Amino acid sequence: MQTSMLTYRARADVPAGSLSTKLEIEALRTSVNDRLRVLVPRTRADQHRLRQAIHSALLAPGKRLRPLFVILAARDLGQRAATVLDVGCALEMVHTASLLLDDLPCMDDAKLRRGAPATHILYGESTAMLAAIGMLSRAFEVISTMPDISSDVRAQLVSLLARAVGTSGLVGGQFYDLYQQNVGDPLQQLASTGELKTGALFVAAVDMVSTISDSTDLHARALRKFAAELGLAFQLLDDLLDVESTVEVLGKDVGQDAGKATLPDILGRHGARERLRHHLAAMDDALASVDGGNGWLRSLKDLIFRNIPALHVYA
Ligand code: GRG
């Protein structure tokens, strides 16, 4: 990230949430899926079971929010390089790896993911763990071998991703989720858990985009604030859906958080929705300070938080 000026391009042409915006985002999702099929970790002919586990997990119909987030943040910065698609796919590999690990019996013990039995149910726990590590490693390989960017920028991207995965990110957040539930102030603890477990990847996503785009510090900070609020809002939405939605709608187990301290549990559903609105407003504020609130990220935010039939109440 540098201090050179780069115009933050607001999109006056397509209003947030319009049909053409949805179609455009849908087309981007297709290009993410196509690219994931190319980048998926290679396996040898005699590693058939591992290949099946990786393919069924990574190429399953996920929402692809993290790649979309990367691509749309880059668009808002006027950046359309192919590099950005690969960054998004690498984040999706990390995210999918985290889902495989999260679903294991020693963690969340989930049975269903992305509309199908969880990877450890289909292929066994050890293969699920190996598949996760295979995807995680491939993510770093993709980032560290991306053409058309300097080795200095590549090194910065690797560092940002490593930080988001490790004890300052997913690993640290998962540890809190598993073992720190009843330690200290529960609201503070949940904020730390959400910040690391869910927010770290979103923050890494925009930091990576800002690095590639050589964005201004002002824009980088605003995107980072947006991403941090998105992480908290998205985790809160995930917690609300766990109590309010169905297996059919989500394609994953519900009621997984029973007995756990979550925001809906502590604040009640009404209080949790209020808090969600607060995060959504903070996201708008962050964007407004740079693009007038009419960019692609605004559209993505609207799609995530409004387009869930059972949850129009959150809009
Ligand atoms: C070493 C990669 C790695 C991880 C170790 C297991 C772990 C630490 C972290 C778990 C992090 C986790 C699963 C957080 C939950 C985040 C969340 C709200 C996931 C749901 O994401 P969606 O709704 O899912 O985007 P889809 O399936 O649509 O991609």
Side-chain angles (χ1 to χ4, degrees):
M1 276 168 260
Q2 301 192 1
T3 46
S4 69
M5 278 308 291
L6 186 103
T7 313
Y8 201 92
R9 294 195 189 152
R11 231 173 12 107
D13 52 331
V14 184
S18 75
L19 180 62
S20 50
T21 303
K22 286 181 195 162
L23 291 176
E24 177 73 14
I25 289 179
E26 211 37 66
L28 288 175
R29 203 196 313 264
T30 302
S31 57
V32 168
N33 286 331
D34 291 346
R35 189 64 184 152
L36 280 173
R37 271 191 283 278
V38 174
L39 295 177
V40 64
R42 292 190 195 294
T43 45
R44 297 182 179 189
D46 54 2
Q47 296 170 337
H48 184 69
R49 185 185 180 82
L50 182 60
R51 175 189 157 86
Q52 290 282 96
I54 290 174
H55 278 237
S56 72
L58 186 62
L59 306 180
K63 293 186 285 296
R64 311 305 187 207
L65 287 181
R66 291 143 192 90
L68 287 172
F69 185 54
V70 166
I71 296 166
L72 296 176
R75 278 196 179 188
D76 277 345
L77 290 176
Q79 172 67 258
R80 283 176 179 253
T83 318
V84 167
L85 179 60
D86 284 7
V87 168
C89 288
L91 287 171
E92 184 66 20
M93 288 184 209
V94 171
H95 166 60
T96 306
S98 80
L99 296 179
L100 262 61
L101 297 174
D102 191 44
D103 288 343
L104 289 171
C106 62
M107 302 246 189
D108 252 21
D109 193 15
K111 308 280 185 283
L112 195 69
R113 177 65 71 175
R114 293 179 168 173
T119 306
H120 67 274
I121 304 279
L122 290 173
Y123 301 101
E125 288 178 41
S126 45
T127 302
M129 279 192 260
L130 294 174
I133 297 168
M135 283 186 275
L136 184 61
S137 311
R138 178 68 180 139
F140 281 98
E141 188 184 6
V142 167
I143 296 292
S144 60
T145 56
M146 280 191 312
D148 304 326
I149 50 171
S150 70
S151 50
D152 183 40
V153 168
R154 273 202 300 261
Q156 287 180 54
L157 299 180
V158 168
S159 168
L160 287 168
L161 188 59
R163 197 177 158 77
V165 172
T167 47
S168 306
L170 296 175
V171 167
Q174 184 74 352
F175 175 78
Y176 283 157
D177 199 28
L178 291 170
Y179 299 113
Q180 297 292 99
Q181 283 264 324
N182 299 314
V183 180
D185 173 5
L187 290 178
Q188 186 49 51
Q189 192 55 50
L190 283 171
S192 299
T193 303
E195 178 195 336
L196 299 187
K197 187 179 127 168
T198 310
L201 265 193
F202 288 115
V203 171
V206 288
D207 282 351
M208 290 167 98
V209 168
S210 295
T211 302
I212 292 171
S213 307
D214 198 13
S215 82
T216 66
D217 284 347
L218 174 73
H219 294 159
R221 270 200 307 274
L223 288 179
R224 174 173 260 263
K225 169 75 176 154
F226 178 85
E229 292 290 341
L230 171 62
L232 294 173
F234 193 65
Q235 183 58 55
L236 181 44
L237 177 64
D238 199 66
D239 291 347
L240 278 161
L241 290 171
D242 186 69
V243 283
E244 294 188 346
S245 193
T246 63
V247 170
E248 290 73 23
V249 170
L250 298 181
K252 64 178 183 177
D253 307 271
V254 292
Q256 282 296 103
D257 296 339
K260 261 173 137 179
T262 62
L263 285 176
D265 178 48
I266 294 173
L267 302 175
R269 290 188 206 174
H270 179 74
R273 281 193 203 107
E274 275 304 307
R275 185 166 280 237
L276 182 51
R277 283 194 193 95
H278 169 83
H279 289 306
L280 298 182
M283 288 160 75
D284 287 341
D285 286 350
L287 286 186
S289 68
V290 283
D291 78 340
N294 190 31
W296 285 102
L297 285 183
R298 170 62 183 258
S299 301
L300 183 66
K301 170 196 157 251
D302 286 349
L303 284 182
I304 296 172
F305 293 98
R306 217 185 260 167
N307 230 25
I308 299 163
L311 291 170
H312 284 305
V313 62
Y314 299 136

